[in-house]
Amino acid sequence: MINILHTSDWHLGKKLYKYERRQEHELFLEWLESTIEKEKIDVLLVAGDIFDSPTPPNYAQKMFYDFIYRLEKFPDLTTVVIAGNHDSASLLDIPKYFFERARCHLHSYMYEDPQRNEIFIEKNDIKIGIKTLPYFRNFELINMLNDQSVEEFFQNRFSEWSEGQIDHRILVAHHGFGVYSSAGSEHAIFLSGLDYFPLEWIKPNFDYAALGHIHKKQTLCEEPPIIYPGSPIPLRFSESNKKTVSLFKVGKTQRFQKYIDIPVFRKLVRVKGDQTDYLRKLAEQLESIDPLDLDAYLEVEITLKEAVSGMADNIRQFIEKKNIELVSYRPIVEFYDEEKSDLNSLDQLNVFELFEQYYLKKFPDVENIQTEILEEFKTLVEETRQISEKDVDLVNGEENENS
């Protein structure tokens, strides 16, 4: 048997508002290292978005390099890493030759010569062929088409191999495939003229597709397994705390896939309520927090009939000396008016009501705005507020220095 472990979307260097996720990522990489040893992993596949931005902080780069270095102690392990849309391909390309001693293949680009995106592994009389499809931009693809359609280009690329007698064919890719369900924190990426890769391009050509980009675990197809394992930690409050990696075992002719749960290192807690029940709901959530875990991060959204001061202080006092920290507080003030539906004065609407009215006017065939879209807008407003506060602090600091 050959044991293959598939993970993606680490987003090292990620922040939740102003809070670094460094401790959680360090604990995840320690867990991943121990899982490689426990499950006797032969091949580790990392399907893109190693970092959260093209210019990751130094500590995030060191975390990644140190992890690859530690993999040297597994003499039978081969690692395959590809670039995602959050990564800088040129930055990832720099250390790839240093990674070779750890048997790590780092593919940052989709090359015109498809053989440069191929890897072959042989063990126990089993031969695996791996094709990599790192994130690419439309202009890169257009320059390679040479009068082919997009479908013809990829059908040829996926079906042709430079070596024969392959027992199992695997695709490692970072893009949108099939009809997936997003977690809400991914950046939209599009294939030239298409929203996503049709699964029909994948199924005839591969025995397993190790995908990255979507943060929510999902199986797009069971045979062959086409898998998004999801991110290893929740990146936003809208994401589930339950995270996984995918284990794929292959013999000469047989294969088997299952998910392995990742421990929750730090819980993200979201509480929604009104002025009468938010503390009760918060108390219920506190009971589910393991005191041995890292301090949980808390987001509270309270619907109010009128503006009330001191609510955030009340929450902080309520959770004082408990292993939870208030990260985001959102008071939503509802203005009740019998003729609200006929309001024409924009200054009587809050920002969320304005957005909802704009959306419904923009899309008149829609009866109600989707909850997921409204949640994304609320997150955007909160992130903008946090940035504005940071800018104010920066300006005040500069004024103090100049005074």
Side-chain angles (χ1 to χ4, degrees):
M1 297 289 289
I2 294 181
N3 299 327
I4 303 166
L5 196 64
H6 165 208
T7 176
S8 72
D9 296 274
W10 295 355
H11 288 268
L12 304 181
K14 175 71 175 178
K15 286 186 176 183
L16 184 65
Y17 301 119
K18 66 179 180 179
Y19 295 86
E20 288 184 351
R21 314 300 298 280
R22 180 174 184 170
Q23 287 179 288
E24 296 143 274
H25 278 128
E26 287 175 341
L27 290 171
F28 161 67
L29 292 177
E30 290 174 8
W31 174 85
L32 184 60
E33 186 179 345
S34 66
T35 301
I36 289 170
E37 184 172 17
K38 177 183 176 182
E39 298 290 342
K40 297 179 172 55
I41 299 302
D42 301 295
V43 182
L44 174 65
L45 306 177
V46 187
D49 279 357
I50 310 304
F51 300 114
D52 189 59
S53 76
T55 54
N58 290 339
Y59 82 80
Q61 296 181 58
K62 186 176 187 302
M63 196 184 304
F64 174 54
Y65 301 151
D66 286 349
F67 174 74
I68 298 298
Y69 174 76
R70 295 200 303 270
L71 296 184
E72 285 189 41
K73 69 181 181 182
F74 302 112
D76 297 325
L77 177 70
T78 299
T79 302
V80 178
V81 179
I82 67 169
N85 59 299
H86 281 256
D87 298 314
S88 164
S90 58
L91 179 69
L92 276 181
D93 216 36
I94 293 172
K96 70 176 184 180
Y97 297 110
F98 297 99
F99 286 179
E100 287 180 355
R101 62 182 293 177
R103 297 163 303 282
C104 176
H105 302 268
L106 213 166
H107 287 193
S108 302
Y109 299 96
M110 178 179 71
Y111 295 102
E112 188 166 6
D113 179 1
Q115 292 188 31
R116 297 182 65 184
N117 289 108
E118 288 183 348
I119 300 162
F120 297 96
I121 300 170
E122 294 188 57
K123 184 179 180 181
N124 301 330
D125 198 33
I126 303 168
K127 184 175 181 179
I128 293 176
I130 298 175
K131 282 187 180 289
T132 63
L133 187 66
Y135 172 71
F136 59 87
R137 292 167 179 80
N138 281 340
F139 74 86
E140 297 174 290
L141 171 61
I142 291 170
N143 290 337
M144 298 181 191
L145 291 179
N146 297 324
D147 297 326
Q148 301 175 88
S149 69
V150 173
E151 180 177 359
E152 290 171 335
F153 175 83
F154 282 108
Q155 289 283 20
N156 292 334
R157 194 175 187 92
F158 290 161
S159 62
E160 296 173 358
W161 295 82
S162 60
E163 295 186 16
Q165 298 181 325
I166 302 170
D167 297 304
H168 300 280
R169 295 166 172 80
I170 295 174
L171 173 68
V172 185
H174 191 95
H175 220 293
F177 286 79
V179 182
Y180 57 82
S181 174
S182 71
S185 53
E186 306 91 346
H187 288 181
I189 55 178
F190 300 99
L191 182 62
S192 182
L194 295 171
D195 291 341
Y196 54 82
F197 279 93
L199 296 186
E200 288 69 26
W201 297 5
I202 309 301
K203 293 178 182 179
N205 297 306
F206 297 101
D207 301 301
Y208 182 87
L211 307 182
H213 179 57
I214 303 303
H215 300 163
K216 181 191 295 186
K217 177 198 82 172
Q218 50 204 289
T219 303
L220 299 183
C221 180
E222 292 186 355
E223 188 56 43
I226 302 178
I227 304 291
Y228 282 113
S231 58
I233 66 171
L235 301 175
R236 285 188 180 180
F237 286 100
S238 60
E239 295 186 24
S240 169
N241 285 287
K242 295 180 179 179
K243 296 294 183 177
T244 64
V245 293
S246 175
L247 177 63
F248 185 53
K249 293 174 171 278
V250 297
K252 189 68 175 178
T253 58
Q254 67 271 38
R255 52 178 182 259
F256 167 77
Q257 185 273 333
K258 74 171 185 176
Y259 289 104
I260 299 176
D261 290 335
I262 301 172
V264 178
F265 306 112
R266 187 197 303 278
K267 195 170 184 180
L268 300 192
V269 178
R270 170 181 273 180
V271 173
K272 291 185 177 183
D274 57 35
Q275 198 169 348
T276 65
D277 66 0
Y278 74 96
L279 289 180
R280 176 184 60 80
K281 291 183 176 181
L282 178 55
E284 292 173 354
Q285 288 287 349
L286 291 177
E287 294 178 0
S288 68
I289 298 173
D290 190 332
L292 299 178
D293 289 343
L294 299 174
D295 285 358
Y297 286 155
L298 172 65
E299 177 180 79
V300 178
E301 182 178 299
I302 304 177
T303 302
L304 304 169
K305 294 183 179 180
E306 59 183 8
V308 179
S309 62
M311 299 289 286
D313 291 334
N314 290 343
I315 296 168
R316 292 189 181 96
Q317 290 176 7
F318 189 81
I319 64 176
E320 191 176 7
K321 297 182 180 179
K322 296 181 174 64
N323 59 325
I324 189 169
E325 185 169 1
L326 181 64
V327 170
S328 172
Y329 167 62
R330 295 175 175 176
I332 309 298
V333 180
E334 291 186 343
F335 295 97
Y336 292 92
D337 192 324
E338 293 180 358
E339 299 180 357
K340 184 177 178 180
S341 60
D342 297 325
L343 281 175
N344 293 316
S345 177
L346 295 180
D347 60 4
Q348 295 185 59
L349 302 178
N350 64 36
V351 64
F352 302 108
E353 291 169 326
L354 284 171
F355 174 74
E356 187 169 358
Q357 288 208 2
Y358 168 79
Y359 186 89
L360 295 176
K361 185 175 181 180
K362 182 77 173 177
F363 304 101
D365 294 334
V366 177
E367 293 184 3
N368 295 298
I369 187 170
Q370 294 180 24
T371 302
E372 185 179 12
I373 295 175
L374 191 57
E375 289 298 321
E376 276 295 295
F377 181 71
K378 290 177 181 178
T379 299
L380 178 62
V381 171
E382 176 64 18
E383 289 179 346
T384 304
R385 184 184 67 79
Q386 294 276 0
I387 293 171
S388 298
E389 289 178 355
K390 185 177 179 181
D391 290 342
V392 169
D393 292 340
L394 180 61
V395 170
N396 291 339
E398 291 176 347
E399 288 177 350
N400 291 335
E401 289 179 359
N402 296 329
S403 61

